[in-house]
Amino acid sequence: MRFNSSHTLLSPSPFTMDWEGQKVAEQLMQIMLVVFAIGAFVTGYVVGSFELMLYIYAGGVILTTLITIPNWPFFNRHPLKWLDPSEAEKHPKPQVTTSVSKKKPIKK
Amino acid sequence: MHSFGYRANALLTFAITILAVMCAIASFSDNFNSPSPTSQVQVLNINWFRNKPDGDDEVSMTMNISADLQSLFTWNTKQVFVFLAAEYKTRKNSLNQVSLWDGIIPAKEHAKFYIHTTNKYRFVDQGSNLRERDFNMTLHWHVMPKTGKMFADKIVMTGFRLPQAYR
């Protein structure tokens, strides 16, 4: 694959994670929500308070949001190593020598 | 999961779906409640009993209504709607049901009550069939949940009779 300077759009910005981090974030989100839901239900049922169940669950949703949505450093421990542009220049893409070569407009 | 917005959307959708499941289970848990309500009604006095100019009978009575509906309340109960109906049979109608009184019980603490009242709503017949009429006093209730299925039931109290003549 060949990237021009457009690859800088994908490099670390405040709202990205690496692939490993994305998987962890998704799993963590699902597990946390289910655990809080079960805990909230059991607590609310035993105590006899529907409101308590909702409060515990709401707290769990907020906590899960704070942990899994922002791009924390621990989600970026396996960053992808993009090929350096100068290195890519040394390995040009093989030219296709057949007849019609249409020029495709470069899309950002 | 590649962006803030994507993760936020996934979390919100999953959280709300789980909430719906929790509410469904909470409603289902109401089935494990086996209530044991009791009730008693006494008609203390027939205040007046007449035939209206339009042809229908009407009666006014003073009653004591007492009940213990505490066992109907669960953790998922918002309120209990209760009403007392006079029920009787006539030649024209196999069932006549006239609501005499109703109330809303907002919490378990208020579910054991004793009230002394005249009928809140008018006891009017469709026609002129009330003289010497035997009737039941049936206490109906609707247990209205915070979420899910509503349960309704009743207690039938028999043995009431209206006077022979108008007063």
Side-chain angles (χ1 to χ4, degrees), chain A residues 4-100:
Chain A
N4 302 325
S5 54
S6 56
H7 91 280
T8 51
L9 289 172
L10 296 166
S11 60
S13 82
F15 302 123
T16 58
M17 296 174 176
D18 61 63
W19 302 117
E20 249 324 289
Q22 288 177 30
K23 185 172 99 165
V24 170
E26 180 174 15
Q27 289 176 337
L28 198 60
M29 180 265 282
Q30 290 170 338
I31 291 171
M32 282 184 76
L33 285 181
V34 170
V35 164
F36 266 102
I38 294 173
F41 186 91
V42 169
T43 309
Y45 185 76
V46 163
V47 170
S49 167
F50 194 89
E51 288 80 8
L52 183 66
M53 173 179 83
L54 293 181
Y55 283 136
I56 293 175
Y57 183 61
V61 170
I62 291 171
L63 187 69
T64 306
T65 305
L66 292 174
I67 289 180
T68 66
I69 290 188
N71 182 36
W72 300 116
F74 63 82
F75 285 130
N76 220 2
R77 281 203 284 242
H78 304 271
L80 283 173
K81 290 180 179 54
W82 295 111
L83 191 61
D84 194 73
S86 57
E87 185 65 35
E89 296 285 341
K90 294 178 192 166
H91 305 275
K93 196 173 166 181
Q95 295 296 324
V96 178
T97 51
T98 47
S99 48
V100 188

Side-chain angles (χ1 to χ4, degrees), chain B residues 67-80:
Chain B
D68 181 358
L69 302 178
Q70 288 185 318
S71 58
L72 296 174
F73 279 80
T74 70
W75 72 311
N76 184 31
T77 301
K78 166 96 174 68
Q79 64 195 16
V80 171

